[in-house]
Amino acid sequence: MNSTTDPNLKSWIESANGSDTDFPIQNLPFGLFSRPDGDTRCIGIAIGEEILDCQALVEAGYLDDHCSPEARCALSANSLNDYLGLGRDEWRSVRERVSALLRSDMPDLKDKPDDRDACFVRQSEVRMHVPMAIGDYTDFYASLHHATNVGSMFRPDNPLLPNWKHLPVGYHGRASSIVISGTPIDRPMGQTIAADGEDPRFGPVRLLDYELEVTFVVGPGNPMGHRIDIENARDHLFGLMLMNDWSARDVQKWEYQPLGPFNSKNFGTTLSPWIVTLDALEPFMVPGPLRGDDDPKNLDYLNWADDFGIDLQLTVEISSAAMREAGSEPTLVSRGNYADMYWTMSQMLAHHTKTGCPMRPGDIFASGTVSGVAEDSRGCLLERTWRGQNPITLGDGTERKFLQDGDEVVINGWCQRDGVQRIGFGSCTGVVHPVKEPATV
Ligand code: CA
């Protein structure tokens, strides 16, 4: 375990020391924020209820003797891409220095009120942004339970296609509609058919769904024509975010054959505000998923004795507009664990680059819907309500087969285990707004 995850560490930022904070000193996740009085975007690190402003920290000289000029320059930029490209050694030296500066027994920054004023801003006061320019986004389908459940609804005789256990199935997603937590999602329009054999219609999507996913952010990546071997994947994995892959099931059903999802997935994808680094997640790494006796053996390029999953607990809650107005608690609809996935991040990265396909800093890879064995661990309404056959009841007594306008979906994720400090991700939220005709340009 690296020293920055030592459970005995405390910070002089008191709000970082509570037992239920997502952002203790052992976490130190990265995000991009702007202050209420300006549009300038700054890289920040969450600590308790505060954000450490990286550019201000650099300007005050606190990283001078501890981090490279490249790292100081990258931390002063208005997106995380350059920093992501620096690689693991640089990430580690910044993390160690920031951890040291925030420790309760370190007076350097703590005892300088002017520097403290310049370097910290409260999370409640800022606007968060997608932390990097995302060049490419790939969405996988890595949960055996999700793939089996969905497959059995759409193809009862043939739920799991023959390739599924041989390679991590994915599709190239749409980066332009990825938004940060809190951004409303307009109900899209789409082409659907009511039942097989009927004429297609165009109108508001009726079967709007969420998908509970975890995404990883690529670090340095690889030039075109080069490959990332699975043993080296860890050097290219910067950190994780929570994701809601909003999905239009009626569109998906009509369009997905022969080339997979298209308009059913391209109208909005929501990310949580912070990237929790692999260094912070180290205490929660678990061995890569075991294969059943009947499962095919992985080809060599997908095999790594030290491969790992992450013991990351996940929940999805829904509240209607009426519930929020009444101040009532949201209804818990799904709970899952990222460790339940069949394919790992390393396998996805190795498989994706085996053709020589380049990855660039800031690309993201999403896991696909995280579903477990239990009914309440199914990570979308399609599975949870079994295509609408078994509606769920919200706290206000109304039923949901799929999402209605005004519904808010909140995804939370955290890691917790005995003898280790709990860390969290911050919420990934979005409210469904009614159809709005997009402006024509
Ligand atoms: Ca998905």
Side-chain angles (χ1 to χ4, degrees):
M1 197 184 290
N2 66 67
S3 61
T4 58
T5 57
D6 182 342
N8 298 313
L9 293 181
K10 296 279 179 215
S11 175
W12 50 265
I13 303 271
E14 279 306 323
S15 60
N17 298 327
S19 57
D20 57 349
T21 177
D22 277 348
F23 310 117
I25 190 170
Q26 290 83 357
N27 193 345
L28 306 179
F30 283 78
L32 195 69
F33 70 95
S34 56
R35 287 185 165 76
D37 53 355
D39 292 332
T40 308
R41 296 180 181 196
C42 306
I43 297 171
I45 295 173
I47 175 78
E49 293 170 4
E50 310 280 325
I51 298 173
L52 175 61
D53 179 333
C54 291
Q55 184 178 9
L57 194 70
V58 168
E59 284 173 1
Y62 285 98
L63 302 186
D64 282 359
D65 301 327
H66 302 84
C67 306
S68 70
E70 290 78 18
R72 298 200 297 270
C73 183
L75 287 170
S76 306
N78 57 10
S79 89
L80 259 181
N81 297 75
D82 289 348
Y83 187 70
L84 296 170
L86 292 178
R88 215 171 153 194
D89 292 344
E90 301 269 14
W91 303 336
R92 280 247 162 111
S93 43
V94 170
R95 178 174 169 83
E96 280 165 14
R97 177 58 177 157
V98 169
S99 172
L101 282 169
L102 296 174
R103 259 171 232 181
S104 51
D105 56 346
M106 291 286 280
D108 301 33
L109 176 55
K110 178 186 173 195
D111 291 346
K112 297 214 176 61
D114 289 351
D115 287 350
R116 280 176 62 165
D117 282 350
C119 289
F120 291 94
V121 58
R122 289 188 73 77
Q123 283 171 35
S124 57
E125 291 174 8
V126 305
R127 261 186 75 197
M128 298 300 294
H129 306 273
V130 175
M132 60 276 166
I134 300 171
D136 277 296
Y137 149 50
T138 303
D139 194 18
F140 284 86
Y141 195 49
S143 159
L144 176 62
H145 308 293
H146 175 68
T148 306
N149 285 337
V150 173
S152 65
M153 280 179 244
F154 287 105
R155 296 178 304 272
D157 305 333
N158 191 17
L160 211 57
L161 294 172
N163 57 9
W164 199 90
K165 287 186 173 178
H166 291 274
L167 56 85
V169 167
Y171 68 96
H172 293 106
R174 187 76 200 164
S176 64
S177 53
I178 295 175
V179 295
I180 200 70
S181 176
T183 310
I185 296 294
D186 294 334
R187 180 177 295 274
M189 304 284 281
Q191 186 184 129
T192 59
I193 52 167
D196 291 340
E198 293 191 6
D199 288 338
R201 63 183 280 280
F202 179 74
V205 157
R206 286 161 297 175
L207 310 187
L208 186 62
D209 203 354
Y210 64 83
E211 286 189 340
L212 164 63
E213 302 203 23
V214 176
T215 187
F216 73 81
V217 179
V218 175
N222 56 309
M224 188 158 167
H226 292 239
R227 295 182 278 266
I228 296 175
D229 287 337
I230 191 164
E231 300 84 9
N232 300 327
R234 176 71 181 80
D235 292 338
H236 299 272
L237 304 173
F238 178 69
L240 302 186
M241 306 173 88
L242 310 178
M243 194 178 102
N244 183 346
D245 179 20
W246 303 89
S247 299
R249 299 302 182 193
D250 40 358
V251 175
Q252 185 179 357
K253 183 186 174 210
W254 175 225
E255 75 176 4
Y256 87 103
Q257 296 194 93
L259 283 183
F262 183 41
N263 275 358
S264 55
K265 304 279 188 174
N266 72 7
F267 57 92
T269 306
T270 306
L271 289 176
S272 58
W274 300 100
I275 309 175
V276 176
T277 65
L278 264 277
D279 285 331
L281 291 164
E282 228 167 54
F284 307 100
M285 288 179 180
V286 293
L290 294 173
R291 295 289 185 255
D293 291 340
D294 297 336
D295 287 349
K297 288 217 171 354
N298 289 324
L299 293 178
D300 280 348
Y301 79 98
L302 294 170
N303 249 339
W304 178 27
D306 294 329
D307 203 359
F308 60 91
I310 305 281
D311 180 8
L312 162 56
Q313 302 181 54
L314 300 158
T315 59
V316 182
E317 296 168 315
I318 298 179
S319 63
S320 63
M323 288 165 71
R324 294 195 303 286
E325 268 163 39
S328 49
E329 291 291 307
T331 303
L332 179 68
V333 290
S334 303
R335 69 172 94 224
N337 192 308
Y338 186 48
D340 284 339
M341 305 305 270
Y342 190 91
W343 295 105
T344 66
M345 296 180 272
S346 320
Q347 288 171 322
M348 293 175 196
L349 192 61
H351 183 70
H352 204 325
T353 62
K354 279 298 152 182
T355 56
C357 175
M359 298 299 141
R360 293 169 295 189
D363 286 357
I364 65 170
F365 280 42
S367 58
T369 305
V370 181
S371 291
V373 181
E375 203 169 309
D376 72 351
S377 70
R378 294 172 181 165
C380 60
L381 285 174
L382 177 71
E383 286 174 85
R384 245 346 232 106
T385 69
W386 210 255
R387 223 166 158 184
Q389 286 173 32
N390 311 308
I392 52 171
T393 306
L394 298 187
D396 62 0
T398 58
E399 286 193 339
R400 288 295 180 281
K401 297 174 178 174
F402 290 93
L403 295 170
Q404 294 185 3
D405 292 348
D407 285 353
E408 180 176 42
V409 179
V410 179
I411 296 176
N412 278 298
W414 68 96
C415 298
Q416 191 163 19
R417 112 180 145 69
D418 287 347
V420 180
Q421 174 67 43
R422 172 197 186 278
I423 60 173
F425 279 68
S427 298
C428 175
T429 74
V431 175
V432 177
H433 281 196
V435 165
K436 191 160 63 210
E437 284 295 341
T440 302
V441 293

